Amino acid sequence: MHSSSVPHTDAYDPHTLRQICEQVIESNWRDGFTVPSSNLYPFQWLWDSGFIALGWSWTDMGKARQELSTLLQAQWKNGFLPHIVFHDDRAEKQYFPGADFQGAHTHAFAPTHVKTSGITQPAVLGFVLEYLYQREENPDAHANFYIQAISRIFDFHVYLYRDRDPLKENLVYIRHNWESGTDNSAAWDSIWAGYEAPVYEVRRKDTHHVNEAQRPTKKDYNYYLHLIELSRECGYDEARMYDRLPFLVQDPLFNTLLVASGQSIARMARQFGLDDMAQQSQQWAEATSIAINQKLWVDDLSLYGYYDLRNKRMIAIRTAPGLCPLFAGIADAERAARMQALMTGPDFSGSDAANALCPSLAYTDPEFNPERYWRGPVWVNINWLLYKGCLQYGFEILAERIRQDTLNLVARYGVYEYFYPLADDRQRPGFGGTAFSWTAALVIEMIRQSEHPGSGRASIHP
Ligand code: GLC
């Protein structure tokens, strides 16, 4: 198995790769934020911005801070942070569903200076902010920025625990599959099978840019649009959406990233003398970590699953997000070792030692598809989370393999959005958006951080 062998490395020059990636984020920089990919995603996306800010922190700390401030300025009055900030009205023609279809920008809590969506995305900003702070040459000079950002991110967490955890389980739910960040995950299949969605006249723009076989299917897209339409009909009122939406899920990745961000906000708030905020954040992070272990661990599968809160049933499936609790130190040593074995065994490594880690869905899952978006291909952000998680648990060989697999894929295919994981056909192109910002940013992060191993978040071993 891979864990005992030295990670394979194709020839690439890290310096050149890093320079290419620096040019990608530079070219995707607009006035105050970075687009994920200029054709496919012409606005600002929440978790993209977090990952992208990490890339900027190595080359231009001003842009890293600006990226986050621009995003945080779009926060709603109730603390909600939108997954898309539609900065550019002209680009709306390029994208569907745009702000008007989503219909959230007229909400009483929404900002008035810019249009936003009414769904959110994973809470990465807390730990991103802590990385930035640790990398500041003169942190005191930017104390105002950090204090403001800490309290806005805290307000987002307050919103999540207040409005997304009605049963007070310390697990927050997502109410649209796009909120997970893993849009067409096979985890949602049983939910879609449980109800009918109308057929929408296809106005999608993504399939103009990308081969249809590599995107969510038309049928799945009907469900996504239907959820948006229902949310709009509920006036994006949280209580009404909770009563009405067919999709309410406690997602392992979303809750894990909230724990990691909560831990970071607790540490930073303490440092700035914001004691109540520190205490509350710490308490939430601990409680959510316990809840993830109690409710989402699937013993038969040796990883974390999803809970379908609407239909009151567990979704037991082997996805890469189900391994991500490693990132926040949530798993105990025994569970972590079982996930390590899963990653190095046939489920996530497949049968060919040259396959790349980590497919977004296990090779052994009947729904595994090496091309279709979140149902098989490798994504660099998930790999980065797993790389960091493995390092924390001392799985150094596995961590290094994930890092090398990631850098090799990007060096071989280009700075794409997602990648073919199998070793059987290395002639294929990369998939999705080209010059994709978080791929570039996290490659910079993986190359630079291994040159400066001390420059990261403090280890939070369980
Ligand atoms: C896709 C991805 C999502 C990402 C967005 C912008 O929808 O699934 O995670 O945030 O594109 O890059």
Side-chain angles (χ1 to χ4, degrees), residues 19-275:
Q19 279 181 332
I20 292 170
C21 289
E22 287 173 7
Q23 282 159 14
V24 166
I25 53 173
E26 199 63 64
S27 67
N28 286 341
W29 174 257
R30 302 291 180 263
D31 196 11
F33 69 97
T34 314
V35 294
S37 168
S38 61
N39 287 335
L40 204 53
Y41 309 115
F43 311 105
Q44 185 174 27
W45 263 257
L46 196 168
W47 77 329
D48 296 64
S49 271
F51 294 126
I52 295 164
L54 289 178
W56 281 125
S57 73
W58 295 104
T59 57
D60 188 334
M61 199 51 114
K63 284 190 175 134
R65 278 186 239 106
Q66 178 78 59
E67 182 82 42
L68 299 190
S69 330
T70 307
L71 184 71
L72 290 169
Q73 276 159 23
Q75 185 164 38
W76 289 23
K77 288 197 189 76
N78 58 347
F80 169 84
L81 280 176
H83 93 303
I84 303 179
V85 188
F86 295 98
H87 290 291
D88 180 357
D89 284 346
R90 283 162 312 165
E92 283 215 41
K93 281 188 225 73
Q94 242 177 289
Y95 186 81
F96 181 80
D100 290 334
F101 184 91
Q102 302 208 18
H105 58 285
T106 49
H107 193 285
F109 293 148
T112 49
H113 70 287
V114 72
K115 291 180 191 168
T116 78
S117 65
I119 62 175
T120 191
Q121 257 186 345
V124 297
L125 300 185
F127 66 81
V128 167
L129 192 77
E130 191 179 20
Y131 276 125
L132 263 47
Y133 187 67
Q134 287 166 346
R135 293 171 190 175
E136 289 285 1
E137 270 174 28
N138 181 3
D140 291 348
H142 302 286
N144 282 345
F145 162 77
Y146 284 97
I147 291 173
Q148 240 189 43
I150 291 168
S151 55
R152 284 192 178 233
I153 296 168
F154 179 73
D155 288 348
F156 178 46
H157 296 179
V158 170
Y159 155 80
L160 290 172
Y161 284 99
R162 184 190 61 223
D163 288 358
R164 300 296 190 97
D165 182 23
L167 307 176
K168 298 289 158 239
E169 296 181 279
N170 295 307
L171 282 179
V172 306
Y173 67 71
I174 52 172
R175 50 173 166 70
H176 194 292
N177 54 301
W178 281 335
E179 292 199 319
S180 69
T182 60
D183 307 11
N184 68 334
S185 168
W188 325 134
D189 290 0
S190 64
I191 303 179
W192 308 142
Y195 76 99
E196 290 292 319
V199 175
Y200 289 85
E201 173 129 350
V202 179
R203 278 179 284 163
R204 283 169 70 177
K205 301 282 160 87
D206 58 331
T207 44
H208 292 185
H209 302 289
V210 178
N211 182 338
E212 265 191 72
Q214 297 157 15
R215 299 287 301 180
T217 61
K218 282 187 187 142
K219 182 155 193 276
D220 282 356
Y221 228 81
N222 290 331
Y223 290 107
Y224 312 167
L225 296 178
H226 187 47
L227 288 177
I228 293 285
E229 205 159 47
L230 290 174
S231 306
R232 201 178 63 206
E233 279 170 27
C234 293
Y236 287 92
D237 176 90
E238 295 292 346
R240 289 174 68 194
M241 287 187 284
Y242 177 63
D243 283 343
R244 186 148 176 226
L245 296 182
F247 185 103
L248 297 176
V249 172
Q250 290 166 323
D251 174 289
L253 176 59
F254 195 107
N255 280 282
T256 291
L257 297 176
L258 179 59
V259 169
S261 278
Q263 290 163 336
S264 289
I265 291 298
R267 282 190 290 267
M268 295 187 78
R270 199 165 302 123
Q271 209 164 328
F272 282 99
L274 305 166
D275 293 339

Side-chain angles (χ1 to χ4, degrees), residues 178-441:
W178 281 335
E179 292 199 319
S180 69
T182 60
D183 307 11
N184 68 334
S185 168
W188 325 134
D189 290 0
S190 64
I191 303 179
W192 308 142
Y195 76 99
E196 290 292 319
V199 175
Y200 289 85
E201 173 129 350
V202 179
R203 278 179 284 163
R204 283 169 70 177
K205 301 282 160 87
D206 58 331
T207 44
H208 292 185
H209 302 289
V210 178
N211 182 338
E212 265 191 72
Q214 297 157 15
R215 299 287 301 180
T217 61
K218 282 187 187 142
K219 182 155 193 276
D220 282 356
Y221 228 81
N222 290 331
Y223 290 107
Y224 312 167
L225 296 178
H226 187 47
L227 288 177
I228 293 285
E229 205 159 47
L230 290 174
S231 306
R232 201 178 63 206
E233 279 170 27
C234 293
Y236 287 92
D237 176 90
E238 295 292 346
R240 289 174 68 194
M241 287 187 284
Y242 177 63
D243 283 343
R244 186 148 176 226
L245 296 182
F247 185 103
L248 297 176
V249 172
Q250 290 166 323
D251 174 289
L253 176 59
F254 195 107
N255 280 282
T256 291
L257 297 176
L258 179 59
V259 169
S261 278
Q263 290 163 336
S264 289
I265 291 298
R267 282 190 290 267
M268 295 187 78
R270 199 165 302 123
Q271 209 164 328
F272 282 99
L274 305 166
D275 293 339
D276 291 349
M277 198 187 284
Q279 217 180 338
Q280 178 64 81
S281 296
Q282 185 60 32
Q283 191 230 310
W284 274 333
E286 281 167 18
T288 300
S289 184
I290 292 170
I292 291 174
N293 273 315
Q294 285 179 346
K295 193 167 179 188
L296 301 184
W297 175 256
V298 185
D299 208 49
D300 293 349
L301 299 186
S302 295
L303 89 177
Y304 295 86
Y306 305 69
Y307 190 79
D308 173 349
L309 204 56
R310 169 57 73 226
N311 300 300
K312 300 197 174 39
R313 60 184 180 216
M314 197 64 202
I315 303 172
I317 183 169
R318 283 193 174 125
T319 65
L323 301 164
C324 286
L326 290 172
F327 177 73
I330 290 167
D332 64 16
E334 192 242 329
R335 288 181 176 182
R338 286 170 65 181
M339 290 193 279
Q340 179 192 31
L342 211 56
M343 281 189 260
T344 54
D347 291 293
F348 283 99
S349 284
S351 52
D352 185 332
N355 288 344
L357 277 174
C358 181
S360 40
L361 181 63
Y363 289 115
T364 45
D365 190 289
E367 289 301 319
F368 170 79
N369 177 331
E371 292 190 10
R372 205 180 278 285
Y373 218 37
W374 290 97
R375 301 171 78 93
V378 171
W379 288 75
V380 170
N381 62 338
I382 298 292
N383 270 15
W384 178 73
L385 294 169
L386 292 175
Y387 159 68
K388 297 295 292 178
C390 286
L391 278 184
Q392 275 194 70
Y393 283 87
F395 304 154
E396 271 148 27
I397 293 176
L398 179 56
E400 187 53 18
R401 185 184 156 213
I402 296 172
R403 195 179 84 93
Q404 290 299 348
D405 280 359
T406 312
L407 300 180
N408 283 329
L409 285 174
V410 180
R412 186 184 303 130
Y413 292 117
V415 190
Y416 277 90
E417 185 181 2
Y418 45 105
F419 298 88
Y420 187 75
L422 295 164
D424 63 352
D425 181 1
R426 292 302 193 207
Q427 303 313 312
R428 284 164 183 272
F431 299 143
T434 51
F436 192 69
S437 295
W438 88 37
T439 299

